[in-house]
Amino acid sequence: MRKFKEFIIEKLILLCGLASIFFVLLIFLFLLKEGLAVFNIVGPFKFLFGKSWYPISEPPQLGILPLILGSLLVTAGAAVISIPIGVGCAIYIAEIAPLKIKETLKAGIELLAAIPSVVLGFIGMVTLVPLVKTVFHLPTGLTALSGSIMLAFMAMPTIVSIAEDALYSVPKSYKEGALALGATHWQTIWRVLLPAASSGIVAAIMLGIGRVIGETMAVMMITGNAAVMPKSILVPVRTLTATIAAEMGEAVVGAEHYFALFAIGIVLFVISFAINVTADLFLHKRQ
Amino acid sequence: MRDPYRTQRIAFLLLLLATLLIVIPVGMIVVIIVQKGLPAINWQFLLDMPRQGMRAGGIFPAIIGTIYLVSGAIIFALPIGLLAAIYLSEYSKDNLLTRLIKLAIVNLAGVPSVVYGLFGLALFVVFFKFGASILSGSLTLGIMILPVIITTSREALESVPYSFREVSLSLGASKWQTIRHIVLPNAIPGILTGTILGLGRAAGETAPILFTVAAFYLPRLPDSIFDQAMALPYHLYVISTQVPNVDEKIRYGTALVLLALVLFMNLVAIIIRYKFRKKKKW
C-alpha cells in the first residue's frame, strides 16, 4: 500500500516537473491558434513590414512596422541609459561598497524590482512627462524618450543583480593575482574582473532588454500611443505590447483585429524566447 | 604616464554616481507617493465603494478583487510549483530533459506579461468558456508566477545539506519519507519566501488581468469565482488615464495602497530570509 502511494506521488512530482514545458508549449500553441488566421487576410511580409496600422478601417490595414519601430526606439533608448548605469552600479555593489552599504543597496534594488509597473507608469505620468515637455519645449511630454527613461529603471534591477552575480562568481584568485602583481583595484576590475565576467554581464544586459521589450503598462501610460512611423525620439510612439493592451478590449473575438493582436503576441513571444535562450547560453558558458 | 590612482579615483566616482542615479530616484518615487497619498488614506477610503464614476468614495472592491485574484493564483501555483521544485532538486538527473525543463522555466519567466493576458483570454476566457472572471484571472496569474515559486523553492530545497538525506535514508526511510519529513520541513522558510514574492508579483501585475477579469467600474463585491472583479493595479490605470477629472488625492492614495501592499509582502519575505539565515543550524 505504501509502495503504491509513493509510486503515485512520484509520478505526480514528475508530472509537475514537466508542467513548465507544458505551459510554454500551451502558450505558444494558443497564440498560434488564434493568431495565424491573420495571414489569411494579410501576407506575413506585409504584416511585419506594412507601414500602416489601421485595424478598424475598412478594409483594415494590418502593418505592424510602426509598432515594431516604436518598440525598438523605446528599447534602444532604455538600453543606452540602463546599460552603463546598471553595470556601473553592479561593479560598485560587488567591488567597492563597504559591506553594510552593500546590503542596503541590494535591498534598494530589490525594492525597485518590486514596484508594480502601473505605479511606475503613474509616477512617470505625473513627474517625468511634464519635465520632458518643458525641457524640450514639446507640445506633449508623452514621447518615446519618456518611455525610455522609465523603462531604463525597470531594466536596471535585472541588469544589476545578474551582473553582480557574474562579478561575484569570478574566482577570488584572479583578483588576488592581479593585485599581487601591483595592479590598482580599478585596473584589476577593468582588465581582469570585467573580462572574466563578460558572458554573465552580456546575459544580464540581454535579460534586462528582454524585460523592456515585454513591458506593457508603464509604456502604454507614458509613450503617447500614436501608431505612426516614429520620426524622432521626441514624438509619441506606440509599442507592440501597448497595442495589444490598448486594443484588445475593443476587438471582437474572431475578427481580423483580434487575430492581428494575437499575431503581435506571437512576434513578442518569439522575441522573448530568442532573448531568453541566448541569455541562458551565455550564462552557462560561464560555468 | 597617467597616474593610475587618479584614474581609479575618477572611475570609482563614476561608479558611485551610477549607483546614486538608481537609488535616489527609487527613494524619490517612494517618498512622493507616500507624501501625496497619505492624506487620502482613511477607513472610508479603504472600506467604501467607489462613487460618482470613481471620482469619490473608496477602493474597497478593488482591494477585495486583488485579494481574491492573488489567493486564487497561489492556490493554483503553489502545489504545482512546489512539486516541480521537488522534482528538480530531488529526482532530476543531469540530462537533456532537465535542461529542457530549466530552459522552459527561464522562458516562462521571460514571457511578456501582456502575452500572458492574451493566453489567458484564448485559453480560459474563450476556449474553456470561463468568461472574464476571477477564475480566468487567477489561473493566468498563477501560471505567470510559477517560475518565481519553482526557482525559489528549488533553491531552498537544494540548500538542505545532503548529509540530512543520507542519514534519513540510512535509517531505512524511503525516498518520499525523507523528502516529506526531512527535506521539506528544513526548506519551509525558503519556500515561504518564494511564495510571498510570487504573491507580490501577482498583486502588482496589470496586463495579465486586462482581458481576463478586470472590470472597469463595478461598485459591488464579486459573488463567485465566475464573476468579474475590480483589481487595484487596473483601478490605478483606469483612474489615471481613462477617467478625466479624478481628484489627484484619490490617484495617489490608490497608488500608495498598491505600493504598500506589494512592498509589505516583499519586506516580509526579506525578513523571513534574514531570520532563517541567522538561525541556520548548518
Side-chain angles (χ1 to χ4, degrees), chain A residues 21-277:
Chain A
I21 297 181
F22 173 71
F23 283 130
V24 171
L25 291 178
L26 201 65
I27 291 174
F28 193 50
L29 207 74
F30 267 85
L31 290 177
L32 289 181
K33 174 177 172 284
E34 306 280 330
L36 283 183
V38 81
F39 298 122
N40 297 334
I41 309 155
V42 50
F45 186 81
K46 239 187 139 189
F47 178 70
L48 287 174
F49 300 107
K51 284 184 186 162
S52 37
W53 174 258
Y54 299 112
I56 40 179
S57 68
E58 202 50 61
Q61 301 199 25
L62 303 169
I64 63 168
L65 190 62
L67 315 176
I68 294 179
L69 290 180
S71 274
L72 284 181
L73 191 62
V74 174
T75 307
V80 168
I81 302 167
S82 63
I83 292 171
I85 297 181
V87 175
C89 178
I91 299 173
Y92 187 82
I93 291 179
E95 282 295 314
I96 303 167
L99 199 64
K100 266 194 177 159
I101 297 180
K102 190 173 171 163
E103 291 304 315
T104 322
L105 284 175
K106 280 173 125 177
I109 302 289
E110 261 183 65
L111 189 78
L112 176 58
I115 299 177
S117 79
V118 68
V119 172
L120 284 176
F122 169 69
I123 218 65
M125 272 175 62
V126 290
T127 57
L128 187 64
V129 168
L131 185 72
V132 168
K133 184 180 169 184
T134 3
V135 169
F136 294 97
H137 305 288
L138 298 171
T140 169
L142 298 164
T143 59
L145 179 67
S146 320
S148 293
I149 297 174
M150 219 57 220
L151 286 185
F153 273 99
M154 312 191 75
M156 278 174 203
T158 312
I159 297 182
V160 173
S161 60
I162 298 174
E164 198 235 320
D165 269 351
L167 286 165
Y168 187 75
S169 61
V170 173
K172 282 278 165 295
S173 53
Y174 286 27
K175 188 179 166 186
E176 284 158 4
L179 290 173
L181 289 170
T184 63
H185 190 182
W186 170 244
Q187 285 168 333
T188 309
I189 293 172
W190 187 246
R191 302 277 177 85
V192 178
L193 292 183
L194 279 180
S198 60
S199 61
I201 293 175
V202 171
I205 291 170
M206 291 185 69
L207 291 174
I209 288 176
R211 173 103 205 263
V212 170
I213 293 181
E215 174 38 52
T216 311
M217 295 315 290
V219 97
M220 178 157 74
M221 291 163 88
I222 55 184
T223 53
N225 279 325
V228 290
M229 299 290 281
K231 294 201 170 57
S232 90
I233 198 160
L234 292 174
V235 295
V237 296
R238 169 178 261 180
T239 63
L240 294 165
T241 49
T243 305
I244 300 176
E247 295 180 5
M248 189 48 98
E250 310 150 15
V252 183
V253 174
E256 293 130 342
H257 192 189
Y258 175 87
F259 296 143
L261 293 177
F262 270 91
I264 297 178
I266 299 176
V267 174
L268 278 170
F269 184 88
V270 170
I271 294 174
S272 83
F273 191 84
I275 289 179
N276 281 294
V277 171

Side-chain angles (χ1 to χ4, degrees), chain B residues 11-273:
Chain B
F12 282 12
L13 198 70
L14 286 176
L15 295 179
L16 176 65
L17 196 71
T19 310
L20 292 179
L21 273 175
I22 301 182
V23 176
I24 292 177
V26 177
M28 265 168 54
I29 289 171
V30 175
V31 168
I32 291 175
I33 291 181
V34 171
Q35 210 177 33
K36 294 203 177 176
L38 216 49
I41 307 288
N42 52 42
W43 289 118
Q44 196 214 348
F45 183 69
L46 295 176
L47 299 177
D48 203 1
M49 295 291 160
R51 293 177 206 290
Q52 296 166 26
M54 295 179 273
R55 290 181 186 85
I59 54 169
F60 188 55
I63 297 178
I64 294 296
T66 286
I67 293 176
Y68 279 154
L69 281 174
V70 168
S71 321
I74 216 72
I75 290 172
F76 172 72
L78 185 58
I80 297 182
L82 186 54
L83 290 179
I86 292 178
Y87 175 77
L88 284 173
S89 109
E90 308 298 321
Y91 288 93
S92 70
K93 300 175 188 70
D94 196 10
N95 57 17
L96 185 68
L97 180 67
T98 310
R99 187 90 184 76
L100 279 179
I101 292 177
K102 286 181 180 165
L103 200 62
I105 294 173
V106 171
N107 272 299
L108 216 48
V111 171
S113 55
V114 72
V115 174
Y116 276 107
L118 285 180
F119 167 67
L121 173 67
L123 180 65
F124 301 122
V125 178
V126 176
F127 188 76
F128 283 146
K129 299 196 174 64
F130 293 154
S133 61
I134 294 178
L135 182 63
S136 302
S138 293
L139 292 171
T140 310
L141 287 173
I143 296 177
M144 190 193 72
I145 62 173
L146 208 52
V148 182
I149 294 182
I150 297 178
T151 317
T152 43
S153 303
R154 192 184 126 221
E155 272 170 26
L157 292 165
E158 281 178 351
S159 73
V160 176
Y162 203 69
S163 55
F164 283 32
R165 298 179 178 86
E166 281 168 346
V167 170
S168 166
L169 290 171
S170 71
L171 288 171
S174 69
K175 181 149 191 169
W176 170 246
Q177 283 173 327
T178 305
I179 296 171
R180 168 76 188 75
H181 297 284
I182 305 295
V183 183
L184 267 184
N186 280 301
I188 281 194
I191 294 167
L192 211 58
T193 312
T195 310
I196 299 171
L197 289 177
L199 284 173
R201 172 95 200 275
E205 276 292 351
T206 318
I209 58 173
L210 275 178
F211 341 115
T212 52
V213 52
F216 191 78
Y217 179 48
L218 193 73
R220 62 179 174 82
L221 298 182
D223 301 320
S224 78
I225 54 168
F226 293 102
D227 224 357
Q228 276 195 303
M230 293 176 82
L232 271 177
Y234 183 59
H235 186 64
L236 176 59
Y237 168 69
V238 166
I239 58 174
S240 41
T241 61
Q242 309 288 306
V243 186
N245 307 324
V246 177
D247 189 0
E248 205 179 46
K249 226 173 72 175
I250 294 185
R251 291 180 179 165
Y252 276 105
T254 310
L256 177 60
V257 173
L258 178 59
L259 188 68
L261 186 75
V262 172
L263 292 190
F264 173 72
M265 289 190 210
N266 276 270
L267 196 69
V268 172
I270 290 174
I271 290 173
I272 293 175
R273 197 168 52 196

